[in-house]
Each structure stands twice: as structure tokens, then as C-alpha cells.
Amino acid sequence: MKPFDYQRARDLETAAEAAQAGGRIIAGGTNLLDLMKLQVMTPERLVDITRIPGLDRIESDGPGLRIGALVRNSDLSADMRIRTGYPVLARALLAGASGQIRNKATTGGNLLQRTRCPYFYDPAMACNKREPGAGCAAIGGVSRMLAILGTSEACRAAHPSDMAVALRALEAEVETRRADGATRRLGLDALYRLPGERPDLETTLEPGEIITAVLLPAPLPGATQSYRKIRDRASYAFALVSVAAVVRMEDARIATASLAFGGIGARPWKDPEVDAMLSGQSPSAELFVRAADRLLAQAETDEGNDFKREMTRRALIAVMREATGLAPASTGTDKAEVPA
Amino acid sequence: MSAPTQDPLTLSLSVNGETHEVRVPARKLLSDVLRDDIGLTGTHVGCEHGVCGACTILIDGRPARACLTFAVQMEGHEVTTIEAVGRPDTLSALQQALHEEHGLQCGFCTPGIVVTFEHYLRENTNPTAEDVRDVLSGNLCRCTGYQNIVVAVLKAAARMRGELA
Amino acid sequence: MSDGFTEIGRALPRKEDRRLVTGRGRYLDDLASPGALHVSFVRSPHAHARILEIDSAEAAEMPGVVGVFTGRDLDHMTTRLRLAPPIEGLQPTELTTLPINKVRFHGDPVACVVATDRYLAEDAAECVTVEYEQLRAVTSIAEAFAPDAALVDDSLSSNLVSHQTLSVGDPAARRAEAHRVVEARFALHRHTHVPLETRGCLADWDDGRAHLNMHIGNQVPHPLRSQLASRLGLSESQVTVMSPDVGGAFGQKIALYREELTVAALSRHLCRPVRWREDRMENLMSAAHAREYECRTRTSVSETGRILGLELEIDEDFGGYCFYPANYMARVIALIMTGPYRIQDYAYEVRVALTNKCGAGPMRAPMAITSWVMEGTIDAIARDLELDPVEVRRVNALGPEDLPYKMPTGEILEDVTPRETLEMAVAAIDVAAFRERQTQARSEGRYLGLGLCTVIESTTYGSEFYKSAGIPGSGHESAWVRIEPSGVVNASVGLMGTGQGYESPLSQAVAEGLGVRSEDVTVHMGNTDIAPYGMGSRGGRGATAGGGTLYLCALKARERVLAIAASMLDLNDAGGLRMRAGQIERMIGDDWQKVGLALTDVARRAYLDPLVLPEGIPPGLDFSQSYDPPAMTYSNSTHACEVEVDLQTGAISIDRYLVAEDSGTILNPIVVSGQQQGAIAMGLSGALLEQVVYDSSGQNLSATLADYLVASPNELPEFEILHHHTPNRRTPAGIKGMAEGGVMGAIGVIANAVSDALAPRGVTIKRLPLTPQSIRALLREAAPSSMKRTQS
């Protein structure tokens, strides 16, 4: 690990100044430390924001909730307001990491964690995200953990966060403080960039801009929330595919559906067309298949990750069946859901 | 920005109720400071990436990975290590149960498991086997296949509830 | 246990535990060594490349750096490792301590930086620049054997480093007369051991005495010392190997690795203590890998499924270097393949390939694939002939009437019970009831499967095995037992535990032989100045070779103790005496009665009053013994497992797992059950999750524990263990050895269970691991039409 200077920020102003001058913000550090050990990231100055008061609270925000950026993942998942009003978030957090990690990882840090792409993790290999213009060794390489949506010729890395997937389904926003002291709110779609030609630029945050909170809208009354994650091992494995869903039924029809996906996208993935397609419809296997087709229409896969199409399709169908109360297919599950 | 300094910082760390002054560079990990500078070698380093759980310690009473923590960030926090739990001649209920039920083999992962469950059993007095497996999923063990660890944790819980001698 | 033992067979909790559960164990990195220097290795980023230039000037000037050393430097300080045992078809190989001209895998060490601090050593290692000329990488067996393949080892004429064949009986004739010839394929993937404690060492050269103290977590301290001394040009008197508590090994801590030799040489060169602790990435990339095989069987069978002849081909991917003779692991697979079945017409061909990957070595059950191949072949026969797989096993299984049974390779099976454990497992899991549940589930679109796997586990490996295999080395073991003047008992043996928990069971072997309580025995291991020269821990030999030798040594001690006791009691001989729990007892009438004489009294006389000892009895109570066990001993077991496969996700859940096992006389049932559970867990973890992944350019993509997945408790079932007990008549106390068979059985049984579950979908498992995506891929291949709609 490279040496660095350490600075303890007492307030957001000093943190912002230090960050604008090139300092790297550290809170729980669970992802940053790992990347620093591997020298994937080599900051020369760390700005510790954990002592800044006021960022570790979960507060009412009108009918919704305001989650401070320093709220620990474990506190967030255990909070009764979250567990009752936003169970999809609690479940995504619990699926995300071990208790020991959740006790340190923060809300803001979780949103800004870097990809788990093995080529990003190995400084010996070419990676445009780590070093713009270096090329991408993942293309043509082992692609099991790579994204299939939103990728570019420069980068195929998948976003690793479970929490962010739930937040997208919940239509959450983030609140930030810019270097000049102004605050702004932006949706996660506006926060995360697609890789395009500059996969190193992952968010739209400006230099010195710091996430101060996540804002949850009021829970949708009567909606079913679910989170399903498929991975290779129960603990400390990143999602092959995950689905977060917030679905409200009305008179046996899907009144609204908000779906988000992890493991498959260059960013926590949401397709408004898929949500629109489902809304107002009667639940049926055929409808879910069409929704999955829409979701995956732009997917780019290779031999190493084409299983994710089928896995995503099935995860979407399973989650929607559960959320809408549509009985699981009783026989020949496979065939019923995949008409020829 | 000028090149980062290699000079050590003087830190005051509270570990197992005692205050230790150490001089270490900012980049030194808590696990290394505990082991090299304070001499508490029961906290083991198994993966350095937060996966295996061998380095589990308590920070302000809650389990965390010492290998994913800079010591410098721990000023003002209370750190608890395996050395604060039982001694060879006075095992805790959990340690005694691990001994009786053969819940360890090479023992390298064991301090992390003990620290994790000493905390867990304080807050969860009557867990199921499934609960225990779930919490244990943050600690890798290569030797036992986990079965006897689960049995031992349940036995310790029963003893702590006073249901078992 | 019914053999009249009082100490052997006791469920005695482990003596090691108290220090380990409290964090007071002393593992390598816990040893303090003030002033020790730290090393960091510069490793190759390429799978195969020529080393053109190493520039260490910048690194050498960095803070705290004492020196940077390359393969050329080390070549002056050490001798090369030449492996050229006289084995037909095995190519001789030679390797330097660090590579000089080229690197052969991603992670190959090319230089060693020594500094005053680990962080500084790592900083400097990054500033060593190596200029490479990249070469084409060989990353699979097929590529290795291709006619235009790049050469991994430039001194050889091809990548085929070892090639052996054998034919016994007339398999071709059996094929001609067979009702059917059934072919089956099995590909096992690359694993690595993942001990929770990585490798490392602390070398401390004492320049005044010209003596090296080498602290290193290792399974075989004495053979390691011999090798270390020889490669440093020292005598064995100049080297002491000390193995502290070891955080797991599983076969990874047998060889003297290049890094360890480098550290030792540099300690001597610099006259300073030097230490190294490997990080996890190094461990996963460059310690040792294992198990990468492709096997094919061709079986000639009768209408009833009786096997008339078996032909086997094994190809092994051995990686870039030979730290062991390249025939070493595959040979055992071929040797014991026929295992639990009556087969006399048998042929094999074994080919071992060098590739640009980390070198292979033995990993807990080096012959792990054997049972999957044999039992998967049995299931293939059942499928082909539409017979019940249990019946095919019954028709072929060895029963008591067949024993002792000479396998076609000449190995003798005796005191084994494969048919009995099969029936125990079949009854316990209730195959008939399962088939009903399976039928019902299938009608609901759920896929349940039942697997069976009978294992013949080779254990112990006496020196006769080594001799017939052509491998230099021996399988004998040595021990000493010393009763101290106070009557306490010390003992030692050349084994070294790495988590097995030897201290209790070996104490029990001593206690049983001598007639004391196990609690009063202390067994010392791991220090070559203390322990007698033994062959260490490997191949399930701890109980038979270690426990057996200690037991024999303790019997010798008992004889002397009783002789002295007899003289103290004024008896002519010790015929009517015995010792129990350290008290001398005499047969009076039909009863054993205490006579008021204890071991402490005997010891005091032996040490402090030797002049009154009977004539011919020397002073003191100090005994040594060596023992060469049979060429091989065998344990056996049958594993049975029920699974459900979720076609939607490809996920496998294990609904029930049981094993009926016959490990002969058990020294300590607590330790044995722990070994059984741990071995099964390792097998399942490997079959379901673990995989070393290299891409086509030879880049290792599984270098963290987030990429190389080891099972967590949520992936593993509860294990039910049924015991069968057949002592081996040729070993002391009837001990057989165990601890590897669980791996063999687990791999075979899970593969067979998943094949059974997916049979209606036309899927047979031919390749591991069984990850969700590999299951999905198999389902798609079997039913390609169902995927059409998803192709965009």
C-alpha cells in the first residue's frame, strides 16, 4: 500500500476543500482499503469524514426518510422504519455483506463502491476504468461477473452494490453538498454515469462534492417489496443477478411496478419501459416474459455470461410472481415460462 | 500536493480497556498495529480483504474486520480483541463449548469466530441453528465443515440461558 | 469399542484447544523476532515470458531496503532442485531457486526485496522493474499436447512430462466379448488448498555456530530439514526446523518452496533473521494448485452390469513446475481405481502435461477424483443398461468372501467392508422411499436426485509403496517415549500436526501402550532437535504410522516398567503384572488388584537408585522405536446424498448427506468425526464452488477469496455419520488411518446425485464444478430449443 497523508475533517467545509484539492474521502473504508492494498487506488491524502457530526442519523423527511451518509449499513438494516417501510432495502443490505462488514460500511460509501471486475482489481491487466485509455482486458476474457447492460467498448464492469439496486427500485435520491456549499438532490439515474468512453468517471459528482444523505420517498402504501439475489456463495459473493421490486396491486391488476437489477448493469439498472409495460396489466407469465424480453433487448453477452440472460429472466419472473401473487407454475416450470 | 509523508503518527488507542500509545504510519492497518505494536497476536490475518473473518475484533462493541481498518481511524474508539475473552484456564461459555464439541481444528479462524459470537450471544440468547449458520457465514473455516461450530454455539447459548449445566 | 482398550477410543477433547480458543496459539507470524528483516517477492505479471532485464537500482535506494536479490544471486547461494527418480516415462527436471531466464506462470517469483519492515519491502518490490519478452502461454492440456505447442520447460522435448501405461489381464478381449462397452468422461477442475494461515517462515542464521534455525509451518519437518540443508550446502546438524502451531495445510505445506529456500539463504547471506509471510493473493496465485484432471473410462460389461474389463485414461494438468515427481498423484489414482469392485482385466494410460500455471501438488486426497470416476462409471453402466445403480454396485462389490483381494495393480485389500458400508448407506437413506418422493416431485416439476459413492481410501503409504513407485523416500515412522523421574510421560514422533488435533489421540496411543492416563502424556512434535527423524504428516498416515509407532514404543516402555516393578515387588517376573492409570496391578485370583506401587515409584528407582535395578536393566526410562507400516492400509466408506436442483437458477440444495465409514480402530472418536466432517466439507466446497480460473492468456482471475469461493456454512448440510468397525489385522492396535476419504466420496456423490436429478432432462455431469451457471449451461445444451426466445 502506498503511503498517504491522513486528515481528519471536522466539518463538511474542510472535507470539501481537501477533496477538491485531490484528497480521497474515507468513511468505513471497507472497499477503499481493499483497493488501496491492491494499489488499484493510490490516494496521496485520505480525508476521514467519520468525525463530522450529524451525518449518522436516520430522520423523518416529510413523509419519507433522510438517511445520513455515515449511517452504517448494519444500523440501516436494523432500523424499524426501514424494516417496516422499506423492507426491500433491509433485505438488500443483509444480502450485501457479512455483519462485520456492515458494521463499518456506510450509506454513502456503499453507493460509491467500485466494481468487482477481476480485471479492474489486477493492476497488471489493462483496464480503462483504472487507467483511461489503457484498454480493457475483460473484453474477450472471463466474463462471468461482467455486466450485460449499459456496457461500452471501453468497459464491461458491473456495479456491485446491492443497496443501490434497492434504492433505485424505491426511487430514492441522494443529497449532496458541492464544494461551494450549495446542496442539490439527484436521482440515482442522474448520479451514476454509463461507462461510455470514460469508465473511470463513474458518477456525476463534481470535485469536492460530497454525498450527505440518501432520501427515501414515503413508502408506497400497500405495495409488496422484494429482493432476490443469485450468487455463488451465501456470504461475500457478489450478485450474478439480483432483482429489487416494489409492486402495488389494485383489483388484481398491477397498479405500479418499479423494478431494479443488480449484477447485470454497468450501473444499478432500471428500465422505465419495463416498469411502464407492467403497470396497469393483469399479471401473467406471458406478461413477465415480455417484460424480461424488453429488459434484455439491448443486452450484450458472450459465451461466458450469456447465462445471465436466462438467470435474469427467471429472477424477474420469480420476483413478479411472488409480488403479484401469481401462482408458480405447477409443472414443467421451465416450459411454462419460456414459451417456444 | 507534496509527496505523502512516511513519518509515523503518534496514536492513542484504547484496546481491551487499556490505552496504548503507538507510533505508526497512517497506512498501518489495525490488524498489524494490534499484532506488531501492541503484541496482541490472537487477531489473525487470513485474507486481508475482509472475506475470511479471522481478524474480527469489536469496535465500540460491534464486530468488524481489523484488516479493513486503518489504526489511525480508531482513535477515540474502543477496540476489543480475543485476548479480552477468557483465558486458557478460565474459558468463556462459548470457548468451553467449542472445546467440548470439537468446534475447531487448526484454530486459525477461531478467535474471529469467538469474537463474533461473544457479541452475538449477548444480543441473541436463543438462536436457531439456521440463525447461527447465517451469522457464521461471515467467518470462513477450512477445517471443520462448520457443523460442530454450530452445535457449540447452540450449546453455549443454552448454558448462558441456564438451561444446560 | 470392543477391543479391551481403555485409552484408545476415548472421546477425549483436544489438548490444543485451550490455547487456540483464547487466541494464545503461536502461529508463525505470532513469533517475535526483534530486528528481523522482512521480504517481499516481485512476481511475474505474465504467464510465460523471457526475463530480459531486472532493474532494481531504484528499489535498492529506497528507505529501509537492505537488498534486492534475483535468481542469479540465489543460484550462487543454493543448489538447484533436480528431480530425476528412475521412473519409466518420467522426464527429469531441474529448477533454480528463483527463475533466471524465464517465468512460467502468472505469479512466478522473479526477485526478492529485503527491508526492515514489511510495508517498506512491499513498496520497494513495486519499484523493481522487470523487462519481459512475452511468450505464447500454454493454458490447457489440449494446448500442451498440440504439435506446435510452446515449450513450458525448455530443457524438455515436449510438454508431456510423464507418461505411464499398464495393462493387466486382457481388457481388449473383454471388450470384444462384452454385452456392452460403456464410455464415460470426467473432468475435475483446478483447486487450491486455502489453509486459513498462508505460507511463511522465519529464518534465523546463527553465524557464530554456523547454524540455521528455521521456523516454518510445515507438515514434514525432518524431510524438509534434509532438503533445506542439502540445497544450502549445509549438514543436517546445521539446521533446526521448528514448526509452531499451523493454521491448516491440506498438503500445501509439504514441499520446500522456492520462497522459503530464498528466505533461508538470505538470512545466512545477511547474517540477520529474515521473515516472510505470504499474503492471500500470493497464496492463491503461487503457492500450489491441485486436482486438474481429465479422465475417460471404457468399461466392458455383461447384461447384468458385471464389469468384465476397465480401461482408464488420465490426463493431468501439472502446471509450470515440478515440485513433486510428475507421476506422483496420478499414479495413486490409477493404482486404486478399481477400489471396491471385483475387476481383474484393467489397463490405464496416464499422461501429465506441463502448462503455464502454478505448479500442482498433493491436496487432501491427492487421489480425490478416483471415487467419482469409478462410481460415475458405475452409474453410467446403470444408465446404459437401464439397471438400478444399487444393483450394479451389488453385482460388482467386494464382499467378505473375496478378501484378501489382490487388485489388478497388485495392491492387496484386506479388512475392508465396501459391500457392508454400501448396504448400511442404502438402508439408512432408504433408497426405495426416496425413489417414490423423486417420482412425486418430478410430477410437480421439481428435480430431486440421489447419489451414492463408495470409497476405498488408501492411507499410510509404507516404505514398500515408495519403493515400488520408484519415489525416493520412505513411509516408516519413528518415536520416542520418555518417562521422567517424576513419572510424567513425554513422547515424540516425526509427525507434525496442522490442525488435525494430534495431541490427544497420540497421547492416547502412548497411554494405552504404557498403561497411564492420556492426560499424563505430553506429545512433542515439530522440532527436529527434539523429535526423532520421521516422515511427517501426509496421506492419512498420522494414526497408523504415528499412533502405531508410539503405541509400539509405549509397549516397549511398559515392559521395562513392569520388569522393574516386579523386582520392587520381589517377583521373579512381570507375568502377573499390568499397569493401569499409572498404578501397578497384580492378578490375584481372577482379579486385578492394586499393589500400592505407582509409575512414579518405578521412575524414581530407575533414575535415582539405579544400582538396585535388576541385572541387565539400564538406568533411566528412555525408549525409542521405529516402525514401517504395510505398503498401504485402506479405510472404506459409502456416501449417500439427496439433492434438489432448481432449474430456474441452477442452484443445488443438499437435502440430506450421510456416510457409512469403516476406519478400523479409532484412537479418538471426537477427532475422527471432525476429520470426516471436514473432509466432506472440503470435497463439497470444491465440487460446488471453488475454481482456480485462468483466462486464455494465462492470467489468474481467482486471486482473492471473493473470487475463489470457499463454502460458507450456508452451502453445507449437516453430515450424518454411521460407523462400521473392522480393525486392520496387520497394524498396531488395528489402526487404518483416515481423513481423506471424505473428500473423495463427497466429490463423487454430489456429481452422481446431480446427474440423477437431471436425468429426465438428459443431463449427465461430466465436468465440475457444479456452479449455477454450469448447471444452466448443461440444461441449455440438453434442450437447445428452449433458449431460442432469449437470443436477441
Side-chain angles (χ1 to χ4, degrees):
Chain A
M1 184 183 302
K2 297 279 191 202
F4 55 83
D5 289 323
Y6 172 80
Q7 176 181 352
R8 206 169 276 161
R10 295 289 164 199
D11 51 41
L12 283 165
E13 285 80 359
T14 48
E17 273 169 32
Q20 207 174 8
R24 171 70 62 171
I25 303 283
I26 183 168
T30 54
N31 184 228
L32 180 59
L33 248 87
D34 198 8
L35 292 166
M36 287 172 66
K37 286 179 183 181
L38 297 167
Q39 305 211 359
V40 174
M41 293 174 74
T42 52
E44 298 200 330
R45 172 174 291 261
L46 284 189
V47 184
D48 183 351
I49 60 167
T50 56
R51 317 289 163 128
I52 297 177
L55 296 180
D56 60 349
R57 291 200 288 269
I58 304 173
E59 302 161 316
S60 295
D61 179 44
L65 283 181
R66 182 179 187 283
I67 303 162
L70 291 180
V71 171
R72 309 275 162 179
N73 285 177
S74 53
D75 289 330
L76 188 57
S77 63
D79 189 277
M80 277 318 289
R81 291 164 291 182
I82 298 294
R83 289 170 64 175
T84 55
Y86 309 91
V88 64
L89 177 56
R91 272 187 238 166
L93 285 162
L94 293 173
S98 65
Q100 292 99 323
I101 299 274
R102 289 198 299 272
N103 281 336
K104 286 202 82 203
T106 62
T107 306
N110 189 319
L111 286 173
L112 296 180
Q113 65 181 296
R114 313 291 305 273
T115 182
R116 284 295 318 192
C117 175
Y119 295 89
F120 173 72
Y121 256 68
D122 186 347
M125 290 190 251
C127 174
N128 289 318
K129 191 185 269 300
R130 211 176 45 240
E131 193 186 335
C136 174
I139 293 173
V142 172
S143 59
R144 195 170 69 92
M145 296 304 292
L146 302 188
I148 60 174
L149 286 164
T151 56
S152 70
E153 282 308 302
C155 183
R156 301 228 167 135
H159 196 276
S161 172
D162 286 287
M163 183 187 82
V165 174
L167 291 179
R168 282 217 79 176
L170 289 166
E171 315 268 12
E173 294 182 308
V174 295
E175 176 194 276
T176 70
R177 181 192 181 281
R178 289 169 141 141
D180 63 4
T183 61
R184 63 166 173 155
R185 302 165 67 124
L186 62 168
L188 265 58
D189 52 337
L191 174 68
Y192 292 115
R193 286 170 179 270
L194 286 174
E197 288 176 6
R198 287 298 301 275
D200 55 312
L201 303 176
E202 291 170 354
T203 70
T204 56
L205 296 179
E206 299 162 3
E209 185 174 9
I210 295 171
I211 295 177
T212 49
V214 166
L215 306 165
L216 289 175
L220 195 58
T224 303
Q225 300 184 12
S226 45
Y227 190 76
R228 191 179 173 101
K229 179 177 182 180
I230 301 163
R231 53 182 160 175
D232 286 338
R233 177 177 65 184
S235 177
Y236 211 101
F238 291 83
L240 294 167
V241 171
S242 67
V243 187
V246 180
V247 176
R248 190 168 59 85
M249 298 293 288
E250 220 172 74
D251 302 331
R253 282 179 179 275
I254 302 166
T256 58
S258 176
L259 269 56
F261 301 85
I264 58 171
R267 60 183 180 186
W269 200 255
K270 189 164 196 21
D271 187 336
E273 285 188 32
V274 171
D275 293 350
M277 241 178 107
L278 293 164
S279 300
Q281 304 295 314
S282 294
S284 70
E286 291 70 28
L287 174 68
F288 302 154
V289 168
R290 279 193 286 121
D293 284 350
R294 174 70 56 87
L295 174 73
L296 295 166
Q298 305 298 319
E300 288 190 35
T301 55
D302 62 26
E303 259 185 14
N305 62 14
D306 62 351
F307 71 90
K308 284 191 173 179
R309 287 176 185 276
E310 193 64 5
M311 202 174 262
T312 305
R313 155 193 303 280
R314 287 165 196 281
L316 182 153
I317 291 167
V319 161
M320 285 305 295
R321 276 186 185 281
E322 194 182 299
T324 60
L326 186 68
S330 60
T331 55
T333 320
D334 250 354
K335 281 180 207 142
E337 288 174 358
V338 188
Chain B
M1 198 179 286
S2 59
T5 172
Q6 299 259 22
D7 296 341
L9 311 169
T10 301
L11 306 182
S12 174
L13 299 177
S14 178
V15 181
N16 300 337
E18 283 180 39
T19 303
H20 298 264
E21 288 236 322
V22 294
R23 278 181 61 73
V24 297
R27 62 175 167 164
K28 195 151 186 181
L29 301 169
L30 178 61
S31 46
D32 288 341
V33 170
L34 289 171
R35 295 175 50 79
D36 303 347
D37 299 278
I38 303 183
L40 297 172
T41 56
T43 300
H44 296 153
V45 179
C47 75
E48 298 135 281
H49 294 288
V51 183
C52 79
C55 69
T56 301
I57 41 115
L58 302 182
I59 299 175
D60 299 331
R62 301 205 297 186
R65 311 286 207 209
C67 80
L68 283 186
T69 304
F70 288 120
V72 64
Q73 284 194 287
M74 285 300 103
E75 277 195 310
H77 295 280
E78 174 63 32
V79 174
T80 309
T81 70
I82 182 67
E83 283 86 355
V85 186
R87 297 183 49 82
D89 52 355
T90 51
L91 301 181
S92 74
L94 175 61
Q95 289 167 327
Q96 179 66 28
L98 284 164
H99 173 54
E100 291 170 10
E101 297 300 329
H102 192 17
L104 66 152
Q105 290 183 26
C106 82
F108 199 78
C109 70
T110 310
I113 289 172
V114 170
V115 169
T116 299
F117 281 96
E118 289 287 345
H119 168 265
Y120 177 80
L121 291 177
R122 274 202 298 275
E123 297 185 353
N124 303 272
T125 54
N126 197 5
T128 64
E130 201 182 332
D131 296 335
V132 173
R133 281 187 183 260
D134 218 43
V135 175
L136 189 54
S137 71
N139 296 79
L140 292 180
C141 169
R142 190 58 159 162
C143 299
T144 63
Y146 303 106
Q147 185 163 326
N148 289 347
I149 302 175
V150 176
V151 171
V153 172
L154 294 174
K155 185 177 192 177
R159 278 211 183 117
M160 289 162 78
R161 291 194 305 271
E163 289 169 19
L164 196 69
Chain C
M1 214 162 277
S2 60
D3 310 271
F5 295 133
T6 56
E7 292 296 326
I8 285 179
R10 270 179 73 192
L12 188 67
R14 306 189 326 159
K15 297 184 175 192
E16 297 82 346
D17 290 349
R18 289 182 177 279
R19 65 179 188 267
L20 302 183
V21 292
T22 54
R24 268 84 171 174
R26 292 261 181 105
Y27 300 89
L28 182 84
D29 209 40
D30 303 339
L31 304 177
S33 180
L37 301 171
H38 295 251
V39 307
S40 177
F41 288 92
V42 179
R43 294 184 182 274
S44 167
H46 305 298
H48 195 192
R50 220 163 281 295
I51 301 169
L52 300 180
E53 199 188 334
I54 300 174
D55 181 356
S56 58
E58 184 192 346
E61 295 303 313
M62 289 175 66
V65 173
V66 173
V68 181
F69 301 89
T70 66
R72 280 189 206 289
D73 301 321
L74 269 304
D75 212 32
H76 298 302
M77 305 177 202
T78 55
T79 63
R80 298 179 178 192
L81 174 64
R82 184 168 170 80
L83 280 184
I87 295 168
E88 201 187 334
L90 178 68
Q91 303 304 314
T93 58
E94 182 178 280
L95 65 112
T96 55
T97 299
L98 292 179
I100 295 174
N101 296 316
K102 76 171 190 178
V103 289
R104 298 196 203 165
F105 72 96
H106 178 202
D108 211 352
V110 286
C112 179
V113 176
V114 186
T116 52
D117 169 90
R118 187 174 177 205
Y119 285 69
L120 298 176
E122 287 174 8
D123 288 347
E126 281 150 29
C127 294
V128 175
T129 48
V130 184
E131 196 185 329
Y132 294 101
E133 177 197 342
Q134 278 201 65
L135 303 169
R136 193 151 48 97
V138 177
T139 59
S140 69
I141 292 170
E143 274 175 53
F145 292 153
D148 62 341
L151 274 184
V152 175
D153 184 336
D154 294 335
S155 73
L156 302 181
S157 58
S158 81
N159 294 319
L160 179 62
V161 67
S162 182
H163 185 202
Q164 283 89 24
T165 58
L166 176 81
S167 185
V168 179
D170 194 347
R174 299 292 87 74
R175 209 184 317 132
E177 68 202 26
H179 168 66
R180 296 276 292 176
V181 175
V182 179
E183 300 198 355
R185 305 172 79 88
F186 308 87
L188 191 57
H189 56 293
R190 189 165 266 256
H191 291 55
T192 185
H193 311 63
V194 198
L196 258 285
E197 183 193 25
T198 54
R199 296 178 300 162
C201 60
L202 164 59
D204 190 357
W205 174 255
D206 178 340
D207 202 42
R209 290 171 62 222
H211 190 95
L212 177 71
N213 283 315
M214 183 76 167
H215 302 267
I216 178 169
N218 188 271
Q219 300 171 234
V220 297
H222 284 98
L224 185 89
R225 183 190 65 173
S226 296
Q227 229 198 349
L228 196 52
S230 130
R231 295 196 58 195
L232 290 169
L234 298 171
S235 78
E236 283 161 327
S237 312
Q238 290 177 284
V239 179
T240 302
V241 169
M242 283 166 278
S243 202
D245 285 325
V246 184
F250 314 110
Q252 197 176 71
K253 297 174 182 172
I254 294 175
L256 171 63
Y257 288 100
R258 298 176 297 169
E259 294 92 339
E260 296 156 354
L261 178 60
T262 298
V263 169
L266 292 177
S267 174
R268 184 184 182 196
H269 178 73
L270 298 166
C271 295
R272 299 272 300 271
V274 180
R275 69 192 307 163
W276 171 58
R277 183 174 64 74
E278 179 181 55
D279 69 28
R280 180 56 65 186
M281 183 171 270
E282 290 180 290
N283 180 262
L284 289 169
M285 278 184 25
S286 45
H289 292 169
R291 304 220 203 294
E292 192 171 4
Y293 294 98
E294 291 171 15
C295 296
R296 294 166 291 281
T297 59
R298 189 157 58 171
T299 318
S300 306
V301 292
S302 75
E303 267 176 272
T304 60
R306 178 80 184 91
I307 297 171
L308 309 173
L310 174 67
E311 291 158 274
L312 168 72
E313 291 169 18
I314 303 175
D315 288 344
E316 179 178 5
D317 182 331
F318 210 67
Y321 292 103
C322 296
F323 297 111
Y324 300 86
N327 68 325
Y328 180 57
M329 282 92 76
R331 181 192 153 82
V332 179
I333 298 170
L335 188 76
I336 65 166
M337 178 55 67
T338 58
Y341 300 113
R342 280 178 292 131
I343 298 172
Q344 283 303 320
D345 296 77
Y346 174 59
Y348 66 70
E349 175 173 15
V350 179
R351 302 189 304 168
V352 182
L354 290 181
T355 60
N356 290 115
K357 302 180 190 173
C358 178
M363 173 172 165
R364 189 183 200 173
M367 62 303 196
I369 194 177
T370 310
S371 301
W372 176 34
V373 173
M374 192 63 234
E375 293 286 303
T377 295
I378 292 272
D379 280 2
I381 295 166
R383 273 193 303 274
D384 192 88
L385 300 181
E386 294 181 359
L387 295 172
D388 177 352
V390 176
E391 283 309 316
V392 178
R393 285 174 171 80
R394 284 179 177 143
V395 164
N396 291 290
L398 292 167
E401 68 279 8
D402 301 308
L403 301 180
Y405 184 77
K406 187 173 184 184
M407 295 202 273
T409 50
E411 284 295 300
I412 308 285
L413 290 175
E414 57 189 331
D415 302 323
V416 292
T417 53
R419 198 188 288 164
E420 289 87 337
T421 56
L422 171 67
E423 297 300 346
M424 280 171 80
V426 164
I429 205 138
D430 196 347
V431 174
F434 172 82
R435 292 295 173 206
E436 279 178 34
R437 284 202 305 284
Q438 183 182 41
T439 306
Q440 174 64 27
R442 278 179 187 168
S443 74
E444 296 163 5
R446 290 166 52 229
Y447 291 82
L448 308 188
L450 172 69
L452 290 170
C453 187
T454 296
V455 176
I456 290 282
E457 174 187 2
S458 48
T459 55
T460 305
Y461 301 82
S463 48
E464 210 181 314
F465 165 80
Y466 285 90
K467 183 158 177 57
S468 62
I471 299 170
S474 169
H476 76 272
E477 192 49 60
S478 301
W480 58 253
V481 171
R482 190 168 70 229
I483 301 154
E484 306 293 348
S486 67
V488 302
V489 181
N490 282 306
S492 183
V493 67
L495 304 178
M496 180 57 211
T498 53
Q500 297 91 334
Y502 282 150
E503 292 178 25
S504 290
L506 295 181
S507 297
Q508 289 170 267
V510 173
E512 185 69 53
L514 181 57
V516 296
R517 295 183 324 135
S518 305
E519 290 83 342
D520 298 328
V521 178
T522 304
V523 179
H524 303 265
M525 283 166 289
N527 183 319
T528 54
D529 288 353
I530 294 170
Y533 198 115
M535 296 305 155
S537 295
R538 59 207 293 180
R541 70 190 296 277
T544 326
T549 310
L550 281 166
Y551 177 70
L552 293 175
C553 191
L555 286 176
K556 197 191 253 186
R558 178 175 72 179
E559 195 181 335
R560 175 86 58 79
V561 167
L562 293 180
I564 296 171
S567 83
M568 291 171 81
L569 294 168
D570 292 326
L571 301 171
N572 289 331
D573 62 60
L577 295 181
R578 72 173 193 184
M579 186 160 67
R580 279 285 185 279
Q583 296 291 324
I584 306 295
E585 297 177 0
R586 187 174 178 194
M587 179 70 88
I588 298 174
D590 286 337
D591 283 334
W592 288 102
Q593 294 184 4
K594 289 200 174 69
V595 294
L597 191 66
L599 179 60
T600 48
D601 305 312
V602 175
R604 202 175 306 120
R605 171 153 303 190
Y607 281 95
L608 305 178
D609 207 0
L611 297 179
V612 299
L613 289 172
E615 203 177 319
I617 292 189
L621 290 169
D622 205 343
F623 309 89
S624 64
Q625 173 84 40
S626 64
Y627 163 65
D628 196 357
M632 204 76 98
T633 55
Y634 290 95
S635 283
N636 63 278
S637 58
T638 299
H639 295 238
C641 147
E642 292 180 27
V643 299
E644 178 164 357
V645 182
D646 179 345
L647 296 199
Q648 290 202 13
T649 63
I652 296 162
S653 59
I654 300 173
D655 296 334
R656 191 168 177 209
Y657 196 108
L658 69 84
V659 55
E661 180 150 333
D662 188 339
S663 312
T665 297
I666 287 171
L667 292 176
N668 180 324
I670 292 181
V671 168
V672 166
S673 70
Q675 291 298 310
Q676 287 166 330
Q677 293 172 10
I680 295 168
M682 185 169 273
L684 291 178
S685 177
L688 294 170
L689 294 161
E690 297 173 29
Q691 187 172 24
V692 176
V693 179
Y694 282 97
D695 72 8
S696 60
S697 69
Q699 291 291 315
N700 186 322
L701 300 183
S702 44
T704 77
L705 286 181
D707 303 298
Y708 188 87
L709 299 183
V710 171
S712 77
N714 292 313
E715 286 81 44
L716 295 174
E718 294 246 345
F719 311 115
E720 301 166 48
I721 298 174
L722 313 171
H723 297 281
H724 198 64
H725 172 61
T726 312
N728 185 312
R729 283 167 290 184
R730 293 209 296 145
T731 63
I735 304 165
K736 284 177 176 172
M738 52 83 60
E740 296 193 321
V743 178
M744 305 169 73
I747 293 173
V749 81
I750 189 79
N752 286 350
V754 173
S755 289
D756 184 51
L758 297 182
R761 311 287 297 210
V763 168
T764 304
I765 300 303
K766 297 172 182 160
R767 181 171 290 278
L768 298 181
L770 300 167
T771 59
Q773 57 275 16
S774 71
I775 297 291
R776 290 290 317 150
L778 288 170
L779 287 165
R780 277 186 305 181
E781 282 162 27
S785 62
S786 73
M787 270 305 292
K788 276 184 189 142
R789 280 185 53 85
T790 67
Q791 318 253 312
S792 53

